[in-house]
Amino acid sequence: MALLALWWLSTDVLSPAGSMARRFSPGATFGSLASLLMGSDLPFHVLVSLRRVAVGLGFALAIGVPLGLAIGSYRRLEAAVSPAMQFLRMISPLSWMPIAVMAFGVGDDPVYFLLAFAAVWPIVLNTAAGVQQLDPRWLQLAQSVAATRWETLRSVILPGVLGHILTGVRLAIGILWIVLVPCEMLGVSAGMGYFILDTRDRLAYSELMAMVLMIGVLGFALDAAARGLYRYWKG
């Protein structure tokens, strides 16, 4: 409520009549949001963006979890790859946008690459940390019953690091959501980033603000879902 009050004060009370800020007022924004949800293709754009997030996160998990397990299990591998990994993760994913377009062309493929690149690092780091923090007695127990490597991985290591993986997933979702909108300005024809550019070009400022509001609500919901999954696993 405090944010809504500040929003209303800055646009409807403190801004001069006829100013640009009045076009972003809560009344105009909520009116446009209702119209967009009822009679436009906004739900389609939202679903496209959510699909891209799911695919990007899926690639990040498919790469990050095995890599994190390997790095956490072998100290020499960690020492060998850690400098390169720390270097790469400090590069903004958006820096790769021109290279991604040249390598993958225009469409979904560069978006998937950028999202996966952004999301993979917290998953790798948290998975590796989880392996390194495993209770050694669990591994000794697995050895004492002659468990194979696969049985140890399935029954001891993965359950032991799942909480760390879920923490990495939550962090990855936050990064993905920030990177998503600019990635969807790479010449794609659908998605929330595309829709924001479209509203700007049409000078539909209340619709633009409605889209910004929708992005915030959906991001909050995704983070809440990740937190709920983590609490469910802990509980």
Side-chain angles (χ1 to χ4, degrees):
M1 292 301 295
L3 286 175
L4 185 60
L6 287 172
W7 182 11
W8 174 75
L9 282 172
S10 61
T11 57
D12 289 347
V13 177
L14 301 178
S15 300
S19 67
M20 177 68 74
R22 295 259 177 167
R23 302 184 186 184
F24 298 95
S25 66
T29 298
F30 285 113
S32 293
L33 181 60
S35 299
L36 290 171
L37 290 174
M38 296 298 293
S40 77
D41 55 356
L42 175 60
F44 168 74
H45 291 288
V46 170
L47 289 175
V48 168
S49 292
L50 292 176
R51 184 199 70 202
R52 288 176 179 143
V53 166
V55 172
L57 183 60
F59 279 127
L61 282 168
I63 297 169
V65 171
L67 184 58
L69 291 173
I71 291 173
S73 301
Y74 302 102
R75 296 289 183 177
R76 290 184 179 179
L77 179 62
E78 180 186 18
V81 304
S82 182
M85 189 172 63
Q86 296 297 335
F87 173 78
L88 287 173
R89 80 181 187 91
M90 296 307 295
I91 300 174
S92 168
L94 300 181
S95 311
W96 297 94
M97 289 174 68
I99 299 173
V101 172
M102 288 188 288
F104 299 103
V106 176
D108 285 341
D109 289 346
V111 178
Y112 293 150
F113 167 78
L114 292 169
L115 293 179
F117 183 88
V120 72
W121 308 116
I123 294 174
V124 170
L125 293 175
N126 278 276
T127 303
V131 173
Q132 293 169 354
Q133 293 174 24
L134 280 174
D135 191 335
R137 291 173 296 180
W138 295 359
L139 300 176
Q140 293 170 359
L141 177 62
Q143 290 176 351
S144 67
V145 297
T148 64
R149 287 187 177 182
W150 167 246
E151 290 171 339
T152 302
L153 175 65
R154 182 187 62 189
S155 303
V156 177
I157 296 177
L158 284 177
V161 303
L162 184 57
H164 288 81
I165 294 174
L166 292 177
T167 300
V169 167
R170 183 188 175 191
L171 295 173
I173 288 174
I175 297 171
L176 277 174
W177 203 244
I178 293 172
V179 173
L180 174 67
V181 171
C183 286
E184 290 185 327
M185 299 177 181
L186 283 175
V188 297
S189 58
M192 293 187 294
Y194 166 83
F195 193 83
I196 284 182
L197 287 181
D198 181 61
T199 56
R200 183 204 63 183
D201 294 341
R202 293 187 287 109
L203 304 181
Y205 298 114
S206 60
E207 292 184 11
L208 190 155
M209 193 62 193
M211 191 69 252
V212 172
L213 184 65
M214 175 65 71
I215 290 171
V217 170
L218 289 172
F220 183 85
L222 286 174
D223 183 70
R227 282 187 284 117
L229 183 62
Y230 180 81
R231 286 198 300 267
Y232 174 79
W233 176 83
K234 280 289 191 180

